[in-house]
Amino acid sequence: MHPEPQHIPAVIKSLEPIINQYGYFAVGGLLLVEDFGVPAPGETVLIAAAFYAGLGQLNIFLVILVGFIGAVIGDNIGFAIGHFGGHPLVLRYGKYVFLTPERLSKAEAFFNRNGGKIVVIARFIEGLRQLNGILAGLSEMKWPKFLLFNVIGAALWVSFWAMAGYFGGSHITTFLHYQLYVTIGAALLTLLYGAFRIIKHRREAN
């Protein structure tokens, strides 16, 4: 348990009432709904809960466990929506979560080019994380394959940000800045990988 810092960032402080009132349910619930497309501060509440666990208000192992379960279930709900509802359902209700046909088309094409590995990487990319399960369902990926990559991605993502929040202490502001850098880095790596696959495919075709 680290000592309480003199200054707690406003974004962390603003989530304290939610964490105090709902505790682990706030972590699991917000991660769950975020992961099938509902705009919610899932990643931030995970970091905040881990931060307050470092102050002794929550148990870090339960934060990680509940966050992991919520993330996996949320993505699987998204998978079911994409798989059973198809494009008509996703496009009909997607407008309520800012999912336009153009955005869906681009994300789906990107997902189809990269396959199962993108399920893991998508966890660290804002926007793609929320569409992860839906896109996997739409692409007709086999559920056992999706589940495997989803579990790996959820375990890495939840553990990474929970540890950042827990050990952040007086440096929590720096870790919050890293949220943006990690997202940008993951997006760049994914784009580079996608470009590599396209170039390789064209060379093989020639």
Side-chain angles (χ1 to χ4, degrees):
M1 182 175 69
H2 50 61
E4 185 169 358
Q6 294 180 347
H7 173 69
I8 299 176
V11 66
I12 298 291
K13 195 70 176 177
S14 67
L15 293 170
E16 186 176 13
I18 298 175
I19 294 172
N20 285 339
Q21 183 171 357
Y22 300 104
Y24 305 107
F25 290 105
V27 179
L30 288 174
L31 286 181
L32 188 151
V33 298
E34 182 194 46
D35 280 353
F36 62 86
V38 177
E43 186 173 85
T44 306
V45 81
L46 171 63
I47 296 172
F51 174 80
Y52 285 114
L55 299 180
Q57 298 180 23
L58 294 171
N59 184 296
I60 186 59
F61 297 107
L62 288 179
V63 169
I64 293 173
L65 177 61
V66 172
F68 171 76
I69 293 173
V72 171
I73 293 176
D75 256 3
N76 276 275
I77 292 174
F79 182 90
I81 291 172
H83 181 76
F84 296 107
H87 288 85
L89 179 65
V90 174
L91 291 175
R92 180 179 179 182
Y93 294 100
K95 59 184 178 182
Y96 298 111
V97 293
F98 311 108
L99 180 59
T100 63
E102 293 77 16
R103 184 185 177 195
L104 177 62
S105 178
K106 291 179 180 179
E108 190 175 3
F110 181 77
F111 189 92
N112 287 333
R113 286 197 302 268
N114 294 281
K117 291 181 287 297
I118 198 63
V119 175
V120 176
I121 301 173
R123 279 283 176 190
F124 293 86
I125 303 176
E126 186 68 28
L128 194 55
R129 180 173 69 251
Q130 290 82 350
L131 301 177
N132 200 9
I134 294 174
L135 291 173
L138 288 174
S139 68
E140 299 183 355
M141 177 183 287
K142 298 296 183 182
W143 182 73
K145 180 180 180 180
F146 168 75
L147 181 62
L148 172 63
F149 284 107
N150 183 32
V151 166
I152 294 172
L156 292 173
W157 177 72
V158 170
S159 298
F160 179 85
W161 286 120
M163 290 297 96
Y166 184 74
F167 291 111
S170 59
H171 303 289
I172 189 64
T173 302
T174 302
F175 281 105
L176 288 173
H177 286 312
Y178 284 152
Q179 272 187 281
L180 176 61
Y181 299 144
V182 169
T183 297
I184 293 174
L188 288 175
L189 286 174
T190 305
L191 289 173
L192 288 173
Y193 175 75
F196 170 77
R197 290 290 301 273
I198 292 172
I199 294 171
K200 182 180 179 182
H201 177 73
R202 287 180 178 177
R203 286 180 176 177
E204 291 177 349
N206 294 330

